[in-house]
Amino acid sequence: MLIGSIEAGGTKFVCAVGDEDYRVKDQITFPTTTPEETLKKAVDYFKQFEIDALGVASFGPIEIRKHSPKSGYITTTPKPGWKNVNVLGYLREELNVPMSWTTDVNGSAYGEYIMSTLSNEKIDSLVYYTVGTGVGGGAVINGDLLGEAGHPEMGHTYVKRHPDDLEFEGICPYHGDCLEGLVAGPTFEARLGKKGETVPLTDPVWDIMAYYLAQAVIQTTLIIRPDKIVFGGSVANETLLEKVRQQVDELLDDYVELPPLDKYITRPLIKNNGSATLGNFALGLNQLQE
Amino acid sequence: MLIGSIEAGGTKFVCAVGDEDYRVKDQITFPTTTPEETLKKAVDYFKQFEIDALGVASFGPIEIRKHSPKSGYITTTPKPGWKNVNVLGYLREELNVPMSWTTDVNGSAYGEYIMSTLSNEKIDSLVYYTVGTGVGGGAVINGDLLGEAGHPEMGHTYVKRHPDDLEFEGICPYHGDCLEGLVAGPTFEARLGKKGETVPLTDPVWDIMAYYLAQAVIQTTLIIRPDKIVFGGSVANETLLEKVRQQVDELLDDYVELPPLDKYITRPLIKNNGSATLGNFALGLNQLQE
């Protein structure tokens, strides 16, 4: 059996073909240009294989409600040319196999959930945050993605400001100093005038980032009570996560019982940004079983 | 058929008996004193009836994980005498009927969910916040209470501080200025030196409360994407909720599509604090069907 995966990012598309054991058989990556050109490239790629199903995890916001007339669309994205594009409709027309449709971060959440259970971790639920160009989060609870009325947008909640960071206005075009506005990758440039990759891990800005991300952990911990919280994305690294754990410990003050924090707050199990691809294989397979 | 309900509050116990259509047949209220005295009163009350099942919704924190050795206990409560009390064990021993066990706010969430569906509202999910002596929240998603690893503690997340309220340290003994520390009933006395009941609805402190509660709405909206958010508890009133809606509108900036805010953010459908009792009837009935 062959399952396709599209991780449709705002910068690049990652298309892959795998088997029912989630092994990647083939993979290509190409830049996200116009919808016409990019989606045609994806379709041409999959036409080389006889795929039985396809999992699609897309940048957003997207419409995931099946009964909506815009179901399968990328909706109000600021990305030029991609507003109101019927991505799933085009793929269905061209490829005609069962397809799943969710957000990129939901795809990653699902991939990490599957890999955690395959690794014999005893988990029923998981939250996945990506901290990169933007900030997003997805959750799996008992095998189901959270979000009936729409997909979560966990990156846009507000947080208590760090006392050494009160002057910074945040960079979210919608909310200013929401979580994304305070910790997304481009905040390094906005705060320090240099790229995140060049900021040493000893810079105090990392403590500020950790303070905000710890509050994100506390939000999902106290609202969802998941078994595990995974951080992916280009900004997340083990040094940052260690600071996040320390801040969670301090700010939560043992209010609820949690697993050891180095097990609870982790980097992805799946390496090389492969979480969404594996999640797509699994979600695509689910479509065949429905 | 007769179903019992215990709403075990930190101040009072409300015990009721109802039928399979959730109609209250009989009800008593008595103050919460020692566990021995209070629980015996509840048991003596139910022994007058032949109940087929019992729903229990308790103040907490409580242990809800069925496989835990402390399952059915009130655990780390600061309330004198009630720490580590096996409430459900005692009730089972004495009454010997199928029982459900959850938090008071989860009971209310479930009751409001059931009543919403009985009222033909098209909802699949609901969040219920109580704002009173403390602040708590519960959620129902597709008929299931949220929280596998433990019950939610939505009242203890952090929020962005209101510019006119920066001096106030908050009253949560664990977290200082978490949501509960900033909006629970006793904050009126802490901020203004007078009881909340005596603070006119024109006082600017209500705008500060609304600013924080709007952020709570935004947290659960963007993390869970529920169909409806209900506010109960002694501090919640329609004037406050109207301010909350205005603040949500401003702070969320139409980032996700929501129902009209007067439908989305509401007072309970069930009057006279009856949400938890109805929820208990329904949860108790579920136990019979399992």
Side-chain angles (χ1 to χ4, degrees):
Chain A
M1 196 174 288
L2 283 182
I3 317 292
S5 162
I6 301 180
E7 187 184 359
T11 319
K12 63 178 199 281
F13 267 49
V14 180
C15 297
V17 172
D19 64 16
E20 64 269 37
D21 294 323
Y22 315 123
R23 274 184 295 251
V24 177
K25 298 288 186 184
D26 195 77
Q27 182 164 326
I28 55 161
T29 300
F30 46 87
T32 309
T33 58
T34 65
E36 295 72 20
E37 186 180 43
T38 318
L39 292 174
K40 183 165 189 314
K41 257 190 201 163
V43 163
D44 287 347
Y45 172 73
F46 289 113
K47 280 186 173 167
Q48 304 172 75
F49 306 92
E50 294 220 345
I51 57 169
D52 300 283
L54 177 68
V56 188
S58 176
F59 71 100
I62 67 175
E63 183 55 81
I64 59 166
R65 291 172 299 182
K66 294 212 167 115
H67 60 271
S68 164
K70 289 282 171 81
S71 182
Y73 280 60
I74 292 178
T75 57
T76 58
T77 180
K79 191 171 170 64
W82 285 85
K83 204 187 292 262
N84 274 319
V85 171
N86 187 359
V87 173
L88 198 66
Y90 175 78
L91 295 171
R92 273 195 213 284
E93 184 104 342
E94 294 288 329
L95 295 171
N96 197 27
V97 293
M99 293 183 191
S100 64
W101 170 248
T102 194
T103 59
D104 40 10
V105 67
N106 269 353
S108 297
Y110 203 75
E112 286 296 313
Y113 175 78
I114 293 291
M115 186 53 95
S116 298
T117 55
L118 290 176
S119 308
N120 288 321
E121 290 186 21
K122 295 257 174 289
I123 72 162
D124 297 315
S125 54
L126 173 148
V127 168
Y128 183 101
Y129 279 105
T130 179
V131 187
T133 314
V135 178
V140 183
I141 298 175
N142 288 327
D144 291 322
L145 288 165
L146 184 62
E148 291 286 322
H151 56 79
E153 285 285 356
M154 303 186 186
H156 293 270
T157 60
Y158 290 92
V159 288
K160 182 183 172 186
R161 296 298 304 271
H162 189 286
D164 298 337
D165 190 48
L166 297 177
E167 302 301 308
F168 183 56
E169 289 182 2
I171 61 165
C172 174
Y174 297 94
H175 311 115
D177 63 349
C178 67
L179 183 66
E180 175 170 304
L182 293 171
V183 304
T187 58
F188 287 105
E189 190 114 30
R191 277 201 189 87
L192 307 172
K194 52 185 172 182
K195 299 261 178 216
E197 304 89 270
T198 69
V199 177
L201 290 167
T202 50
D203 192 292
V205 75
W206 290 103
D207 297 308
I208 290 170
M209 305 281 277
Y211 183 77
Y212 297 136
L213 290 173
Q215 291 183 61
V217 166
I218 289 172
Q219 286 175 8
T220 41
T221 294
L222 297 183
I223 290 172
I224 297 178
R225 300 298 304 268
D227 289 319
K228 184 174 163 182
I229 299 181
V230 180
F231 278 92
S234 59
V235 173
N237 60 62
E238 184 53 34
T239 308
L240 174 61
L241 290 200
E242 189 47 36
K243 287 178 191 288
V244 171
R245 292 180 196 115
Q246 285 166 20
Q247 291 288 346
V248 166
D249 194 40
E250 206 162 300
L251 289 169
L252 193 57
D253 194 24
D254 286 330
Y255 197 69
V256 294
E257 198 187 315
L258 293 181
L261 290 184
D262 61 336
K263 300 274 184 294
Y264 184 61
I265 300 167
T266 71
R267 298 276 294 140
L269 286 177
I270 305 163
K271 301 307 169 198
N272 303 318
N273 304 314
S275 308
T277 297
L278 194 152
N280 278 335
F281 290 157
L283 289 164
L285 266 170
N286 289 352
Q287 291 297 312
L288 282 178
Q289 283 145 15
E290 264 179 19
Chain B
M1 198 174 284
L2 285 181
I3 316 293
S5 161
I6 301 180
E7 187 184 358
T11 319
K12 63 176 198 280
F13 267 49
V14 180
C15 297
V17 172
D19 64 16
E20 64 270 35
D21 294 324
Y22 316 123
R23 273 184 296 252
V24 176
K25 297 291 188 184
D26 195 80
Q27 182 165 327
I28 56 163
T29 300
F30 47 86
T32 309
T33 58
T34 64
E36 295 73 20
E37 187 180 41
T38 318
L39 293 174
K40 183 165 188 315
K41 257 190 202 164
V43 162
D44 288 347
Y45 172 73
F46 288 112
K47 281 188 174 167
Q48 304 172 76
F49 306 91
E50 295 220 345
I51 57 169
D52 299 284
L54 177 68
V56 188
S58 175
F59 70 99
I62 68 175
E63 181 56 80
I64 59 167
R65 291 172 297 182
K66 293 216 166 110
H67 60 270
S68 163
K70 286 285 171 79
S71 181
Y73 280 60
I74 293 178
T75 57
T76 57
T77 179
K79 191 172 169 63
W82 285 85
K83 204 186 291 261
N84 274 319
V85 171
N86 187 359
V87 173
L88 198 66
Y90 175 79
L91 295 171
R92 272 196 213 285
E93 184 104 343
E94 294 288 329
L95 295 170
N96 197 27
V97 294
M99 292 182 190
S100 63
W101 170 248
T102 193
T103 60
D104 38 12
V105 69
N106 269 352
S108 296
Y110 202 76
E112 286 295 314
Y113 175 79
I114 293 292
M115 185 53 93
S116 299
T117 56
L118 289 176
S119 307
N120 288 320
E121 290 184 22
K122 296 255 176 286
I123 69 162
D124 296 315
S125 55
L126 174 148
V127 168
Y128 183 100
Y129 279 105
T130 181
V131 187
T133 315
V135 178
V140 183
I141 297 175
N142 288 327
D144 292 321
L145 288 165
L146 184 63
E148 290 285 323
H151 55 80
E153 285 285 356
M154 303 186 186
H156 293 270
T157 59
Y158 290 92
V159 287
K160 183 184 174 187
R161 296 299 304 271
H162 189 287
D164 299 337
D165 190 48
L166 297 176
E167 302 299 307
F168 183 55
E169 289 182 0
I171 61 165
C172 175
Y174 296 93
H175 311 115
D177 65 348
C178 68
L179 183 66
E180 175 169 304
L182 293 171
V183 305
T187 57
F188 287 104
E189 190 115 30
R191 277 200 188 87
L192 307 171
K194 52 185 172 182
K195 300 262 179 213
E197 304 89 272
T198 70
V199 177
L201 290 168
T202 50
D203 192 293
V205 75
W206 291 102
D207 297 309
I208 290 170
M209 305 283 276
Y211 183 77
Y212 297 137
L213 290 173
Q215 291 183 60
V217 166
I218 289 172
Q219 286 175 9
T220 41
T221 294
L222 297 182
I223 291 173
I224 297 178
R225 300 298 304 267
D227 289 318
K228 185 173 163 182
I229 299 182
V230 180
F231 278 92
S234 58
V235 173
N237 60 63
E238 185 52 35
T239 308
L240 174 60
L241 290 200
E242 190 46 37
K243 288 178 190 287
V244 171
R245 292 180 197 115
Q246 285 167 19
Q247 291 288 345
V248 167
D249 193 40
E250 206 162 301
L251 289 169
L252 193 55
D253 195 23
D254 286 330
Y255 196 69
V256 295
E257 199 187 313
L258 294 180
L261 290 185
D262 60 336
K263 299 275 184 294
Y264 184 62
I265 300 168
T266 71
R267 298 275 294 141
L269 286 177
I270 305 163
K271 301 305 168 196
N272 303 316
N273 303 314
S275 308
T277 297
L278 195 151
N280 278 334
F281 289 157
L283 289 165
L285 266 170
N286 289 353
Q287 291 296 311
L288 283 177
Q289 283 146 16
E290 264 179 18

